[in-house]
Amino acid sequence: MDQSRIRNFCIIAHIDHGKSTLADRLLEFTGAVSQREMTEQLLDSMDLERERGITIKARSVRLTYQAQDGNEYILNLIDTPGHVDFTYEVSRSLAACEGALLVVDATQGVEAQTIANLYLALEHDLEIIPVINKVDLPSADPERVRQQIGDLFGFDPQDAILASAKTGLGVQEILEAIVQRIPAPKGLPDQPMQALIFDSQYDPYKGVVLYFRIFQGRLAVGDRIKMMATGKEFEVTELGIFRPAMVPVAELQSGEVGFLAAAIKNVQDTQVGDTITSAGRPADKPLPGYRPVKPMVYCGLYPVDNVDYEHLREALEKLKLNDAALVFEPETSNALGFGFRCGFLGLLHMEIIQERLEREYNLNLIATAPSVMYRVHRTNGEILEVRNPADFPEVGVIDYLEEPYVKASMILPHDFVGPMMELCQEKRGVYKSMEYLTTDRVMLIYELPLAEILTDFYDKLKSRSRGYASLDYEYLGFVQSDLVKMDILLNGKPVDALSAIVHRDKAYQLGRQLAQKLRTLIPRQLFEVPIQAVVNNKVIARETVKALRKDVLAKCYGGDITRKRKLLEKQKEGKKRMKQLGTVEVPQEAFLAVLKMEE
Amino acid sequence: MTGGKKIKPLALYIHIPFCRKKCLYCDFTSFPGRTEDFDTYLHALTQEIELRLSSGMTIASLYIGGGTPTVLPATALAGLLATVRRVAQVLPEAEVTVEANPGTVTEADLALLRQAGVNRLSLGAQSGQDRLLQTLGRIHTVRQVEMTMAAARNAGFTNINLDLIFGLPGQSVAAWQETLEWATALRPEHLSCYGLQVEAGTPLAARLTAGELTLPGEEETSAMFLFNTEFLPRAGYRQYEISNFARCFPAEGGDYRSRHNLAYWRYDDYLGLGLAAYSGIAGRRWVNLDDLEQYINALRDGRLPVAEVEEIPPSTAMAEMIMLGLRLTSGPDPVAFEKRWGVSLEEIIGERAAPLVAGGFLVKEAGTYHLTPRGMLLSNQVIAELLVPLLR
């Protein structure tokens, strides 16, 4: 394969700006799939991805394109995950390319995620081809967007291609631009092999299948390979390319994108971002940018029925086969029994895992409210990493506390700057900068505690901007904070799964809101249920779920005892969906109450 | 159920699925009008009596309910009783009840029933206010209740029950108190005071959903129930079940508790005949067909008109015995319970009962448990709480 005829590229876009549809059109135009085979949005193969309209796993596909210069080119499209939770994964996909299509919706203009990913692409020195999509829509304003791209990113506005992924307009122009503007790969085939892993997938028959891009050297079936970060060695049993179906090949070389299987049992041995090299003739250093995956968000997952504990463990283990970013360890709660503390890349990742556990493994789960990892500096100099608020040490032994902060970029119409700044202030944000992207669009930068983003920040951002604001954030590091642990007592007994870490200044208000919310979530029962929020042994809020007064005084229907009994059985069913804490029955939603507090 | 074999005296129920006009809250199997079906139904019912009963069977109580049994001619009801007596042995001291609606019976009818051996009359009085009787879609007035009551006395009835309903749309606590004062002044031997239960699909449910009617609040209905438990004993009626009160002074030879209904609450066997009637005998429960034509056809072909049979596993039966026993102010009979299951009541529910006793919902007494008035208000919750391990 002549490297000068290879182009590796990806597509950068904000959610809903048409990335997947454009990818479909490229596949169709180059004949990778016929129109008949086309299911909508081919690259998003997980059900959840299609439903949510987002890409979770990175995919790639090899297109063959007969260019107008008369030559045939190999175009490798590497799809990227489209969510802030997966920024690192995005960066690895970008690193595998020489160029990127920057897709912007002609009706909406540039959004926060577009900018964040564009900056990532520029960091990797990618050649950018701006594409203004959806120009066929009546509300499209391509000239304004063209201007915006020029002003914002310093591109020549005339370089932007007008397209409609829906109608196919501009597709050929895009393909030509890929061939002409994106540089060919430059690595040498006879150097020691270096390949970047940009994704992996567990297959029950083949083991872990790695998706990679070769930067230099060659790779053939039967080669012994080595993972440079983990040091693990394997023998390649299968090698292939995506068309988009997996097609085996005997050898791949510098510049090419493909997959390999090597009887790899553990996804942890082959992390995304690691460099594959030859075991016999290793490269002297790995490709840059590798970083072990690090969970940012934690929550406890418990089976409602304790007998499902082993089933939950097996399900988590199976999901982990395919997801190096998912971590979990057993934990015990006095309220919820045996379960797992699980770590995720972000909220979306967490939701996806929970949904898959319930859907694919038929588990009935209680999830505790998500939290971040706190660093507790003890008076004796020791540093504790606390992932579960219930594990917080006594106040007396704490010197100071640190919590993770992120840099949040929000893009919004300037009319909403006021409300947005107010929101960031409420969420303990630190103002950094404000920049006008155009005359009426503003980019606002704040530093915010990650924990604040985990609750209702995104919902409020959307509601206070009538849906117009977009958000992206990146991890900054740990910052010292004045935090306290807030305990919730039901019927006088602390419920560890309801404990939360909150900022001291907000404890009183949050305690009151949380107690009120719990009062509405916990149904009335035989006994009254006092709810208390407590900080440092001091009650800061108190509510009561009043006891039931009466139920139906049914008479016995002329011997229809079965009907009467079935009523009781139905009542028992209701009880089964609740967690019994002493004499109090608590519904599953109550454990997420902290996320559902109104203003 | 072959002849010769001695079996325990039975509680026998006979269902008459006809009435003059369906009440707005009614979801029982009953057909208004349909006088043309009376004869075929009575004929089928007679066949069922002959199929089900035998000379070896003794009957301790007989209850003819409906619908409104007295929409049938009194002679027809007397005929049914005669059939039962011909086929099985009705004990001389047996309680024989007929349900009647005021306005559907004359003194002559009642005298005929009395002569045929009916010794207890249950009258659907429901309310002491005409306005509320209209709300319920009843066909009679308060005055007609009083007249029927007097007629029954004249006909020789010395054991009369009045059915009353509280918690009616538009009913105040004071209005209910007035009804009770009115009812007790009539001096019936027995009073059933049921809380109105709105059944889905009834015209009453529709009118409530449409907002045309409003039910009294939780506090009012609770007050009405608690008033029953205080007022009626003072008026000479002992509460023996959540909704049932009777003149009951065994020392003076008067015990007017319903023996037929006690059989249900004590979890004794009962046999139900007629359309849609339930039976429970020896760990098995069944219900008859509820389609009139199918019922009649089955019996014409000499088949039992059974729609569905349920085998009650022991743990469920145990739960049912407790569930029903707790409706009685004496609670489930601990001796009968242990004799039947070989395990004590205490062993089965003691642990779960403790917090409910402490919470004031149950009283532990004489080796068993019974509900307090507060516990009765929440009987479903309390009983479900007790029986969780036994329920499916």
Side-chain angles (χ1 to χ4, degrees):
Chain A
M1 175 57 54
D2 178 359
Q3 269 195 109
S4 66
R5 300 278 165 80
I6 297 178
R7 300 291 182 271
N8 295 320
F9 73 105
C10 57
I11 307 176
I12 297 168
H14 187 73
I15 186 164
D16 287 340
H17 281 198
K19 182 178 76 165
S20 298
T21 318
L22 179 60
D24 287 351
R25 284 302 90 77
L26 297 176
L27 263 68
E28 222 174 78
F29 194 91
T30 56
V33 287
S34 69
Q35 204 144 17
R36 198 169 45 79
E37 294 168 316
M38 202 75 211
T39 48
E40 273 299 288
Q41 312 199 340
L42 207 88
L43 290 182
D44 293 346
S45 62
M46 238 191 274
D47 280 351
L48 270 173
E49 293 182 322
R50 289 226 184 98
E51 272 170 38
R52 290 174 176 244
I54 48 166
T55 307
I56 299 162
K57 301 288 282 183
R59 295 290 139 74
S60 97
V61 60
R62 177 193 279 217
L63 313 172
T64 313
Y65 175 60
Q66 192 72 44
Q68 282 166 344
D69 65 7
N71 293 320
E72 192 177 86
Y73 289 85
I74 300 258
L75 312 182
N76 289 307
L77 164 58
I78 297 173
D79 198 12
T80 56
H83 192 273
V84 54
D85 281 5
F86 306 103
T87 306
Y88 172 70
E89 286 69 14
V90 176
S91 81
R92 294 307 82 202
S93 292
L94 296 179
C97 301
E98 276 82 21
L101 303 180
L102 172 70
V103 178
V104 181
D105 188 319
T107 67
Q108 299 190 4
V110 173
E111 301 283 6
Q113 212 176 56
T114 330
I115 298 191
N117 285 345
L118 176 69
Y119 285 154
L120 268 179
L122 292 174
E123 272 173 39
H124 289 92
D125 286 329
L126 300 196
E127 179 64 34
I128 307 292
I129 303 172
V131 174
I132 300 173
N133 193 22
K134 304 195 191 179
V135 295
D136 58 311
L137 291 184
S139 55
D141 190 354
E143 288 317 309
R144 210 180 112 251
V145 175
R146 204 193 273 274
Q147 202 54 49
Q148 200 184 25
I149 290 172
D151 294 350
L152 264 180
F153 310 129
F155 297 135
D156 180 347
Q158 293 322 307
D159 283 351
I161 299 171
L162 300 186
S164 164
K166 214 170 109 206
T167 65
L169 173 82
V171 169
Q172 187 168 16
E173 201 183 332
I174 291 169
L175 288 164
E176 281 300 315
I178 291 169
V179 168
Q180 287 160 23
R181 297 198 218 162
I182 295 176
K186 293 192 189 68
L188 301 172
D190 46 6
Q191 290 291 306
M193 211 269 291
Q194 271 183 327
L196 174 71
I197 304 175
F198 62 83
D199 200 2
S200 65
Q201 178 96 37
Y202 185 80
D203 179 294
Y205 303 105
K206 299 174 183 171
V208 179
V209 177
L210 298 177
Y211 299 6
F212 60 88
R213 144 86 197 263
I214 302 181
F215 276 82
Q216 59 177 34
R218 310 168 192 277
L219 184 59
V221 174
D223 283 0
R224 263 202 94 66
I225 52 170
K226 182 178 172 180
M227 305 298 143
M228 294 190 80
T230 64
K232 303 273 173 165
E233 290 188 16
F234 304 94
E235 190 181 307
V236 177
T237 56
E238 191 182 341
L239 201 59
I241 54 172
F242 304 94
R243 314 217 49 148
M246 291 163 119
V247 178
V249 297
E251 194 193 78
L252 288 171
Q253 56 166 286
S254 179
E256 289 190 286
V257 174
F259 70 88
L260 70 81
I264 304 164
K265 297 218 173 51
N266 195 335
V267 83
Q268 268 61 46
D269 293 340
T270 55
Q271 304 238 6
V272 168
D274 197 358
T275 302
I276 309 169
T277 192
S278 157
R281 190 185 164 215
D284 51 2
K285 60 177 199 289
L287 295 161
Y290 170 76
R291 162 185 118 195
V293 282
K294 207 166 83 199
M296 301 288 280
V297 176
Y298 296 84
C299 81
L301 290 181
Y302 291 82
V304 173
D305 190 340
N306 283 325
V307 301
D308 286 336
Y309 176 76
E310 275 308 315
H311 184 32
L312 173 58
R313 177 202 295 279
E314 284 160 21
L316 282 167
E317 274 163 4
K318 278 194 192 131
L319 289 181
K320 189 164 175 57
L321 284 177
N322 216 353
D323 187 347
L326 170 67
V327 301
F328 61 92
E329 57 185 31
E331 77 172 5
T332 321
S333 151
N334 64 18
L336 302 177
F338 293 101
F340 296 93
R341 175 87 358 198
C342 305
F344 309 94
L345 293 174
L347 280 183
L348 177 75
H349 188 214
M350 179 178 90
E351 273 175 45
I352 287 166
I353 296 289
Q354 281 175 21
E355 216 170 307
R356 293 188 66 188
L357 287 169
E358 298 197 335
R359 248 197 237 190
E360 294 167 29
Y361 296 90
N362 209 9
L363 283 157
N364 199 2
L365 295 177
I366 290 180
T368 65
S371 95
V372 299
M373 186 183 85
Y374 294 95
R375 258 196 217 152
V376 180
H377 293 256
R378 300 178 56 143
T379 42
N380 63 6
E382 234 181 289
I383 300 173
L384 273 179
E385 293 188 337
V386 179
R387 295 171 182 84
N388 178 353
D391 295 339
F392 250 66
E394 285 303 308
V395 183
V397 301
I398 299 176
D399 183 7
Y400 66 95
L401 296 164
E402 287 180 310
E403 67 177 322
Y405 264 65
V406 296
K407 178 179 148 194
S409 328
M410 289 148 279
I411 294 187
L412 54 147
H414 67 99
D415 297 351
F416 299 111
V417 166
M420 208 50 55
M421 286 179 128
E422 242 168 63
L423 173 64
C424 290
Q425 228 68 49
E426 278 167 34
K427 298 291 180 186
R428 301 191 278 135
V430 180
Y431 172 82
K432 283 290 147 189
S433 69
M434 183 166 93
E435 196 183 325
Y436 272 84
L437 302 179
T438 59
T439 49
D440 61 351
R441 283 176 76 77
V442 171
M443 179 152 82
L444 202 54
I445 310 260
Y446 265 84
E447 288 179 7
L448 280 158
L450 175 61
E452 296 285 351
I453 291 191
L454 296 190
T455 51
D456 50 2
F457 185 81
Y458 191 71
D459 292 340
K460 286 191 172 155
L461 170 110
K462 283 289 176 193
S463 71
R464 292 198 194 175
S465 68
R466 292 206 213 111
Y468 285 116
S470 61
L471 166 74
D472 194 89
Y473 58 85
E474 60 183 288
Y475 182 66
L476 279 177
F478 278 87
V479 174
Q480 189 173 338
S481 267
D482 191 8
L483 301 168
V484 291
K485 180 184 175 197
M486 181 166 77
D487 289 314
I488 297 293
L489 278 60
L490 295 182
N491 207 12
K493 295 197 182 71
V495 178
D496 57 1
L498 287 171
S499 293
I501 305 301
V502 299
H503 194 265
R504 189 183 302 276
D505 295 346
K506 295 172 79 180
Y508 180 75
Q509 184 203 352
L510 280 172
R512 221 175 37 194
Q513 285 176 354
L514 186 55
Q516 279 166 2
K517 190 70 200 173
L518 285 170
R519 192 195 62 209
T520 64
L521 289 172
I522 296 173
R524 291 173 65 189
Q525 30 207 287
L526 280 177
F527 300 97
E528 80 170 27
V529 183
I531 301 165
Q532 291 161 296
V534 175
V535 169
N536 291 338
N537 299 320
K538 194 173 144 237
V539 177
I540 57 167
R542 194 189 303 267
E543 291 283 341
T544 306
V545 180
K546 282 205 302 186
L548 273 175
R549 190 79 178 92
K550 70 171 270 288
D551 54 31
V552 184
L553 294 165
K555 63 172 170 178
C556 209
Y557 284 79
D560 189 359
I561 295 168
T562 304
R563 171 165 166 174
K564 180 92 188 126
R565 190 193 71 231
K566 292 222 159 113
L567 271 176
L568 293 184
E569 283 168 355
K570 219 167 117 190
Q571 237 163 333
K572 177 182 175 168
E573 266 314 295
K575 281 175 184 288
K576 261 170 46 184
R577 282 192 296 272
M578 308 252 215
K579 200 74 197 177
Q580 183 91 32
L581 307 180
T583 57
V584 187
E585 283 168 352
V586 184
Q588 282 156 267
E589 314 88 82
F591 295 98
L592 294 174
V594 73
L595 298 185
K596 294 177 184 151
M597 293 182 305
E598 282 104 48
E599 290 181 38
Chain B
M1 251 174 273
T2 46
K5 198 175 163 201
K6 247 312 191 218
I7 42 175
K8 257 173 66 177
L10 266 184
L12 178 65
Y13 175 82
I14 293 179
H15 190 68
I16 306 298
F18 304 111
C19 54
R20 193 162 295 167
K21 174 175 166 278
K22 200 113 168 150
C23 301
L24 297 179
Y25 57 92
C26 174
D27 78 332
F28 286 85
T29 308
S30 181
F31 309 104
R34 300 283 283 261
T35 46
E36 67 279 9
D37 291 326
F38 288 179
D39 285 345
T40 33
Y41 181 70
L42 284 167
H43 185 67
L45 188 54
T46 305
Q47 281 173 304
E48 196 190 5
I49 293 171
E50 285 168 351
L51 275 175
R52 279 288 188 193
L53 300 182
S54 62
S55 59
M57 293 169 73
T58 51
I59 290 160
S61 67
L62 172 57
Y63 194 106
I64 303 182
T68 307
T70 47
V71 297
L72 296 181
T75 46
L77 294 174
L80 278 177
L81 280 172
T83 307
V84 173
R85 284 184 207 282
R86 174 167 56 78
V87 183
Q89 299 172 42
V90 179
L91 292 172
E93 69 276 19
E95 176 189 273
V96 182
T97 308
V98 169
E99 279 182 351
N101 261 347
T104 60
V105 276
T106 63
E107 191 175 317
D109 293 332
L110 291 166
L112 202 149
L113 289 176
R114 184 70 195 87
Q115 258 168 8
V118 179
N119 54 25
R120 185 172 183 269
L121 196 67
S122 179
L123 286 175
Q126 316 310 6
S127 175
Q129 272 124 357
D130 285 332
R131 179 178 62 87
L132 294 172
L133 288 175
Q134 273 169 24
T135 306
L136 289 175
R138 300 289 295 180
I139 54 169
H140 59 85
T141 60
V142 172
R143 179 80 192 112
Q144 278 173 307
V145 176
E146 292 164 1
M147 280 159 56
T148 306
M149 182 87 190
R153 290 294 190 213
N154 286 339
F157 278 98
T158 56
N159 186 357
I160 301 176
N161 167 58
L162 294 184
D163 271 350
L164 300 172
I165 308 180
F166 64 91
L168 303 177
Q171 186 180 44
S172 63
V173 179
W176 171 244
Q177 292 174 350
E178 233 173 81
T179 287
L180 279 187
E181 278 160 21
W182 164 79
T184 50
L186 294 173
R187 304 309 293 156
E189 281 66 34
H190 190 283
L191 280 165
S192 294
C193 303
Y194 295 115
L196 175 70
Q197 206 173 332
V198 181
E199 301 292 346
T202 58
L204 180 66
R207 297 191 59 186
L208 287 165
T209 315
E212 294 167 31
L213 295 173
T214 322
L215 289 173
E218 192 178 73
E219 280 309 315
E220 279 83 11
T221 329
S222 303
M224 291 180 202
F225 173 79
L226 293 175
F227 184 75
N228 302 345
T229 65
E230 287 153 21
F231 173 80
L232 289 173
R234 275 190 276 122
Y237 297 89
R238 202 179 104 189
Q239 182 181 25
Y240 69 102
E241 193 262 359
I242 292 180
S243 309
N244 285 280
F245 300 79
R247 298 167 66 76
C248 174
F249 308 100
E252 297 150 40
D255 179 356
Y256 291 97
R257 292 179 295 173
S258 164
R259 274 150 48 206
H260 185 79
N261 284 333
L262 278 172
Y264 292 134
W265 297 317
R266 288 177 176 151
Y267 208 52
D268 290 340
D269 286 351
Y270 59 97
L271 178 63
L273 304 179
L275 193 72
Y278 289 89
S279 303
I281 295 180
R284 176 181 296 190
R285 184 169 308 128
W286 65 89
V287 58
N288 274 355
L289 294 163
D290 62 1
D291 181 283
L292 193 58
E293 206 180 317
Q294 286 180 18
Y295 174 82
I296 289 166
N297 289 343
L299 285 156
R300 181 181 300 145
D301 302 344
R303 284 182 287 117
L304 288 173
V306 174
E308 221 177 300
V309 183
E310 188 189 3
E311 298 288 341
I312 313 288
S315 69
T316 305
M318 228 187 262
E320 289 180 348
M321 189 171 181
I322 297 168
M323 167 184 95
L324 294 164
L326 277 170
R327 297 190 63 88
L328 295 170
T329 53
S330 55
D333 180 346
V335 179
F337 187 90
E338 190 159 352
K339 197 171 149 208
R340 187 152 179 174
W341 307 112
V343 51
S344 75
L345 182 67
E346 179 63 20
E347 226 170 295
I348 299 293
I349 61 171
E351 198 180 318
R352 295 188 73 87
L356 296 165
V357 170
F361 299 103
L362 280 179
V363 173
K364 187 179 181 183
E365 200 177 20
T368 184
Y369 294 87
H370 63 83
L371 292 165
T372 61
R374 199 152 79 89
M376 287 178 189
L377 276 171
L378 291 162
S379 59
N380 292 347
Q381 296 277 335
V382 174
I383 294 171
E385 188 59 41
L386 272 181
L387 298 183
V388 158
L390 291 179
L391 292 170
R392 265 182 288 198

